[in-house]
Amino acid sequence: MAHSTAGTRNRAVPRPLPDPAGLPALARGSVPLMALAAGLSASGNYFAQPLLDVIQRDLHIGATAAGLIVTAAQAGYALGLILLVPLGDVLERRRLAVSLFSLTALFLLLTAAAPGGPLLIAGTLLVALTSVGAQVVVPFAATLAAPAERGRVVGVVMSGVLLGGLFGRLASGALSELGGWRTAYWVNALLMAVMTVLLQLRLPRLPRSREAGAMSYTGLLRSTLALLRQEQLLRWRAAIGAFSMASYSVQLTALTFLLTRSPFDWNAAAIGLFGLLGVIGVLGMNVAARLGDRGRVQAVSGTAGALLTLSWLPLLAGESSLPWLAVGVISLNIAQQAGLNSCQNVIYALRPEARNRINAGFMTLFFLGGALGSALASVVWSWAGWGGVCLLGGLLAATSLVLWVLERVGTNGGARPVPGAVTR
């Protein structure tokens, strides 16, 4: 448990906990493997986005049905976060991860073979539901990592998730040119099957906690919600993460609208390549991870919130200037990924025995924030154009920064995970 420096009412600085007996250390090469696994698992949720027009023509479905494919991916992932990720605290984690990866491979095959829209939508929902195996791998890595390197390890694995989303879109477009839209799903299914075998062979078995092992499934879900009530820092960080992701999603959604009109007039392929600037966000995440491991997680949080807010100034100037637009996109990506890593550094230090439930609660609210940002961006774009979008994104980012300041005040200085503060 973590306790405030002023007393027991807040959990601000985790106190040392006894190292659980028999906990294995990270084997050589395990971190890159887990990052690759998380990236492959996440990538399948993004395959359909650049292929909607091709799928629509091939399956003879309407635009509404094609749009439901993306909705199904979002809904399935959200359900998986809240319904499946908490199981990592009661089931043996390697078995859970391997099971989810194997099911994802199977559902990718079913999706690839879908003869029509309804089965494609159902397959997409199932793929997204089990692709939360990536969010089982992240706390798995955090548990195996030594306290002094936990931030770095989590940063590397989360970088895999980020890169999986970015390259998933590109890969699906390229593979569709080679053999049609189904090719991306066939190839990803094969890769997921291979990864299932590698995870089974390379990852260690982890002992379950006695407390969690005695829970029923409904008790586990109630416990996930209870953690949000009990852990003040989890609530703060979930709110900070949700607003920062909302700001980030405003840019993701509205950028396509901007680049398809004058003076840019870009096609979908050019927009996809421009989106690769998001890869630079990986640098922000890994720098933040190393600073967090040195006890500077609060400095990272504050800096990330400020940079996220200020990034909307070059984005505003980018309405008619590609260089300023690129500066804004790069800055926003670095800030978002650094802020996410600092939030994870804090929440994973709270209760080592409940990391999967904590991750489930945090990530559910995180992605709900992203969905809210996307919805608001579409509405504001219609009403106020790019200027209104930038104002919206800046306000959401500023809110995340204000929440960080309030967290510092409300928790007597906030959480600052330090090396050796928690168990692996």
Side-chain angles (χ1 to χ4, degrees):
M1 295 286 182
H3 292 268
S4 158
T5 56
T8 59
R9 57 189 178 89
N10 293 318
R11 292 185 169 92
V13 180
R15 69 183 183 185
L17 293 173
D19 204 27
L23 188 64
L26 275 168
R28 187 176 182 84
S30 293
V31 175
L33 175 65
M34 295 171 99
L36 179 59
L40 281 174
S41 183
S43 66
N45 288 325
Y46 300 94
F47 283 161
Q49 291 183 6
L51 303 177
L52 291 179
D53 185 60
V54 177
I55 292 172
Q56 187 178 345
R57 293 196 307 268
D58 183 59
L59 298 182
H60 306 292
I61 59 177
T64 300
L68 285 176
I69 298 171
V70 176
T71 302
Q74 295 172 334
Y77 199 76
L79 286 173
L81 283 171
I82 198 65
L83 297 178
L84 297 180
V85 172
L87 289 170
D89 287 333
V90 298
L91 300 178
E92 198 281 307
R93 271 171 276 189
R94 184 183 68 179
R95 178 179 298 177
L96 176 62
V98 167
S99 297
L100 290 174
F101 272 68
S102 60
L103 286 172
T104 301
L106 174 62
F107 294 146
L108 282 166
L109 291 175
L110 294 177
T111 304
L119 286 179
L120 178 60
I121 292 170
T124 300
L125 180 70
L126 292 172
V127 167
L129 183 72
T130 56
S131 70
V132 295
Q135 296 300 332
V136 172
V137 169
V138 175
F140 197 140
T143 300
L144 292 175
E149 63 176 11
R150 180 171 295 124
R152 180 189 64 82
V153 169
V154 170
V156 171
V157 179
M158 281 301 298
S159 295
V161 176
L162 170 66
L163 293 175
L166 290 171
F167 285 104
R169 298 180 181 93
L170 281 180
S172 65
L175 289 171
S176 69
E177 292 294 323
L178 294 175
W181 66 267
R182 300 177 192 271
T183 307
Y185 292 91
W186 294 122
V187 171
N188 193 229
L190 174 62
L191 293 175
M192 287 294 288
V194 172
M195 189 56 64
T196 298
V197 175
L198 290 176
L199 292 178
Q200 176 67 30
L201 294 175
R202 295 297 304 276
L203 294 186
R205 292 177 58 89
L206 292 183
R208 298 182 299 169
S209 70
R210 294 178 183 177
E211 174 193 358
M215 286 185 186
S216 65
Y217 180 66
T218 55
L220 184 71
L221 298 183
R222 286 195 301 269
S223 174
T224 302
L225 298 176
L227 283 168
L228 285 167
R229 294 194 303 269
Q230 297 164 4
E231 294 291 344
Q232 185 183 34
L233 279 172
L234 178 57
R235 293 196 302 274
W236 280 118
R237 288 292 163 160
I240 292 169
F243 275 96
S244 65
M245 183 58 180
S247 176
Y248 181 68
S249 294
V250 166
Q251 176 258 154
L252 285 179
T253 302
L255 188 63
T256 300
F257 300 149
L258 177 68
L259 291 175
T260 54
R261 73 171 200 172
S262 180
F264 303 105
D265 296 315
W266 286 7
N267 58 28
I271 294 172
L273 289 174
F274 188 74
L276 283 182
L277 288 174
V279 172
I280 299 175
V282 173
L283 298 176
M285 175 171 284
N286 285 286
V287 170
R290 293 181 185 279
L291 289 173
D293 286 338
R294 296 171 185 170
R296 304 296 297 169
V297 70
Q298 288 294 356
V300 171
S301 296
T303 302
L307 182 60
L308 192 74
T309 305
L310 293 174
S311 296
W312 285 98
L313 294 177
L315 283 169
L316 178 62
E319 184 173 14
S320 57
S321 169
L322 185 61
W324 278 118
L325 190 65
V327 168
V329 169
I330 291 171
S331 176
L332 196 76
N333 273 276
I334 290 174
Q336 166 61 18
Q337 298 307 321
L340 173 58
N341 183 265
S342 70
C343 285
Q344 291 176 309
N345 208 330
V346 170
I347 65 172
Y348 288 154
L350 293 175
R351 295 193 187 182
E353 79 283 358
R355 282 200 180 110
N356 285 273
R357 283 166 286 165
I358 284 174
N359 193 49
F362 174 83
M363 282 296 176
T364 299
L365 294 177
F366 181 78
F367 282 107
L368 283 176
L372 174 65
S374 295
L376 290 175
S378 300
V379 174
V380 172
W381 171 266
S382 299
W383 288 352
W386 184 249
V389 163
C390 291
L391 177 61
L392 170 65
L395 288 174
L396 290 169
T399 301
S400 73
L401 180 59
V402 170
L403 288 171
W404 171 74
V405 173
L406 293 176
E407 178 209 282
R408 297 280 288 169
V409 174
T411 59
N412 296 312
R416 188 181 70 163
V418 294
V422 293
T423 64
R424 293 186 189 181

